[in-house]
Amino acid sequence: MAYALIYTAKSSGKTSYWANPGFTGNGKRKYTWDSPKDINFKQLKAKYPTLFGNKSNDRFEILNLANGQKQKITYQVRQVKKVSKEATPPLATHPKMFRKTPYLIVLDRKGQPRKYWSNSQKTFVNTVNDRLSRWKELGAAEESLRWIVNNEQLKAQFNDGTITIWNGQTNQPALSPSEVARLVAPQPTQVVNQVVKQAQKVSQQSPTYRALDQHFAQLPTQADLKVDTATDDELPGIDLSKYDPALVFGAASYLIDALKEQKNVNQLLKRYDGAVLQDYLHVLEFVGLDDLDVDEFTATFQENRQTRRQIKNLSLLLNALAQSFEPDKFWKALEDDSASNQYHFRSASTAKKLQKLIKSYGETNTKDD
């Protein structure tokens, strides 16, 4: 005689057969045993926890294919006590979630369970399964944390708690409190200094670039001052600590260097929108959910779309920059007009004041005469 393991869904009443592995509604594909004693239900649940995880034990039966009679499964699986949503679920119970994307942002408050940041919901969620966000690289997680701690609209969510980046693989914090504190928005000058440092890494600098870099980095000396005709004027005010020439030059150089990647960025965006996305969609179309690691698939798909969003934003910036800015004209203008190293008094009133303060000025003019 032949026996089959069947499962009847409570909501729809639909019966499916065990097909080793997996369940199917097609009776021709069912898996059979010679005796009910051969159906080791406990072993099947242990071997395929994902397939049996969402199915109630009392909905399983053994079907006698010869006479159509059914009998309940005698083995009763010990029911695991459900964890309250208000409790903090241990990360160790979700090892697959953090295999490739170990970093997450957590919020701890005294006397309350831990919460986890979700980019999609723009808030901290209660449990590990509430679509929390994960990152593959610590640097990417830091950028997200920087955005969170500097967002005025979000501060009410964590201003009375401790927020940090957690490593889901080691179950340890990835940042110390002082490292979290440094992510608070720096002063504008510090931001521009970072841009300048990046610009200084530009490879194969041209002779014009080096000359201009030296020009903007040095202040003129007394020998560079020339006496010339000048007109009366009023000096407009400007904050040189904010718009330092060296910093502006470095920022412009950084943008020009980024513009060189426009073609590669656009090609990469096209690749993500075409081939990469279609691969994910085809997997969803052709692979059954019972045969898919849903948690890992969701994590990798989210990481893919977040990376694609960064590429698209960069593409928008570079395309706009390419339409409104011509690097060749920029370099030519600086080379022709801005680096002559010739300085002349332009304001007559200022010239008179300064000439009296320069001790050697009279002696120099006397010798020249």
Side-chain angles (χ1 to χ4, degrees):
M1 300 180 70
Y3 296 85
L5 177 65
I6 63 175
Y7 174 81
T8 304
K10 184 176 181 179
S11 58
S12 64
K14 180 180 178 180
T15 298
S16 53
Y17 300 82
W18 175 251
N20 195 33
F23 292 90
T24 177
N26 186 350
K28 296 181 179 180
R29 294 177 53 196
K30 62 182 176 293
Y31 185 85
T32 61
W33 289 266
D34 294 331
S35 168
K37 296 181 180 180
D38 295 333
I39 302 177
N40 193 329
F41 188 70
K42 178 180 178 181
Q43 188 179 66
L44 285 175
K45 283 191 67 98
K47 188 174 182 180
Y48 305 102
T50 302
L51 297 176
F52 286 83
N54 295 326
K55 295 178 172 57
S56 177
N57 295 331
D58 58 5
R59 308 300 297 177
F60 284 96
E61 297 174 298
I62 296 176
L63 173 65
N64 186 327
L65 297 175
N67 56 26
Q69 294 183 352
K70 302 176 183 178
Q71 65 183 81
K72 292 290 185 180
I73 294 292
T74 57
Y75 169 74
Q76 297 296 325
V77 179
R78 180 176 61 88
Q79 297 293 323
V80 179
K81 184 178 180 181
K82 294 184 178 180
V83 179
S84 171
K85 287 187 176 181
E86 296 183 355
T88 301
L91 300 181
T93 60
H94 305 272
K96 291 184 178 180
M97 292 180 64
F98 308 105
R99 184 186 305 161
K100 295 182 180 180
T101 52
Y103 298 107
L104 59 155
I105 297 175
V106 301
L107 172 64
D108 293 314
R109 286 192 179 95
K110 187 175 181 180
Q112 296 185 22
R114 170 169 289 170
K115 291 190 175 184
Y116 308 89
W117 175 254
S118 170
N119 270 339
S120 60
Q121 301 181 27
K122 295 297 182 292
T123 187
F124 287 91
V125 296
N126 293 322
T127 67
V128 175
N129 293 325
D130 277 346
R131 298 175 65 186
L132 65 88
S133 297
R134 305 188 301 279
W135 290 267
K136 181 178 181 180
E137 303 294 340
L138 178 59
E142 287 185 9
E143 287 304 314
S144 293
L145 181 57
R146 184 194 301 276
W147 177 80
I148 295 172
V149 298
N150 290 292
N151 190 312
E152 294 295 333
Q153 297 179 349
L154 298 176
K155 286 186 177 180
Q157 296 187 36
F158 59 84
N159 57 8
D160 58 343
T162 302
I163 185 172
T164 189
I165 296 176
W166 201 265
N167 188 323
Q169 290 182 347
T170 63
N171 204 25
Q172 295 291 330
L175 294 182
S176 65
S178 60
E179 289 173 322
V180 174
R182 70 175 171 78
L183 297 178
V184 178
Q187 297 300 317
T189 301
Q190 292 176 303
V191 175
V192 181
N193 278 334
Q194 294 173 0
V195 174
V196 173
K197 289 180 180 179
Q198 290 175 310
Q200 290 173 345
K201 296 179 181 180
V202 179
S203 61
Q204 298 179 350
Q205 297 174 353
S206 65
T208 300
Y209 182 99
R210 291 194 295 270
L212 290 169
D213 185 58
Q214 182 179 8
H215 165 74
F216 285 109
Q218 296 179 352
L219 292 175
T221 64
Q222 177 182 333
D224 296 315
L225 289 174
K226 305 295 181 180
V227 179
D228 201 356
T229 58
T231 58
D232 294 329
D233 60 357
E234 293 182 1
L235 300 179
I238 187 169
D239 185 358
L240 290 177
S241 63
K242 183 177 181 180
Y243 301 109
D244 186 285
L247 301 183
V248 174
F249 178 71
S253 302
Y254 176 71
L255 290 177
I256 292 174
D257 190 52
L259 189 55
K260 297 176 183 178
E261 300 296 330
Q262 179 194 12
K263 181 178 179 181
N264 290 335
V265 170
N266 288 338
Q267 289 179 345
L268 185 58
L269 177 60
K270 184 177 180 181
R271 185 71 174 174
Y272 266 83
D273 286 340
V276 177
L277 175 60
Q278 288 302 316
D279 285 344
Y280 276 92
L281 295 180
H282 283 147
V283 168
L284 286 176
E285 182 180 358
F286 298 120
V287 179
L289 294 180
D290 289 339
D291 197 33
L292 184 66
D293 188 335
V294 177
D295 287 339
E296 187 67 21
F297 179 89
T298 303
T300 56
F301 186 63
Q302 182 187 60
E303 180 184 0
N304 170 272
R305 298 305 294 170
Q306 289 175 344
T307 300
R308 180 260 179 195
R309 174 59 56 186
Q310 289 182 301
I311 296 170
K312 182 176 181 180
N313 288 340
L314 181 57
S315 175
L316 290 173
L317 289 170
L318 295 182
N319 290 338
L321 185 62
Q323 292 177 13
S324 58
F325 182 75
E326 297 185 30
D328 291 340
K329 287 186 178 181
F330 175 81
W331 292 122
K332 184 63 177 177
L334 288 179
E335 182 180 5
D336 291 345
D337 302 330
S338 303
S340 62
N341 289 329
Q342 296 293 319
Y343 298 90
H344 305 270
F345 284 118
R346 303 298 176 89
S347 169
S349 59
T350 303
K352 291 180 180 179
K353 293 179 181 179
L354 294 179
Q355 288 174 5
K356 292 179 181 179
L357 298 177
I358 303 174
K359 296 180 179 179
S360 60
Y361 182 79
E363 297 176 0
T364 303
N365 281 348
T366 302
K367 292 180 181 180
D368 291 340
D369 293 342

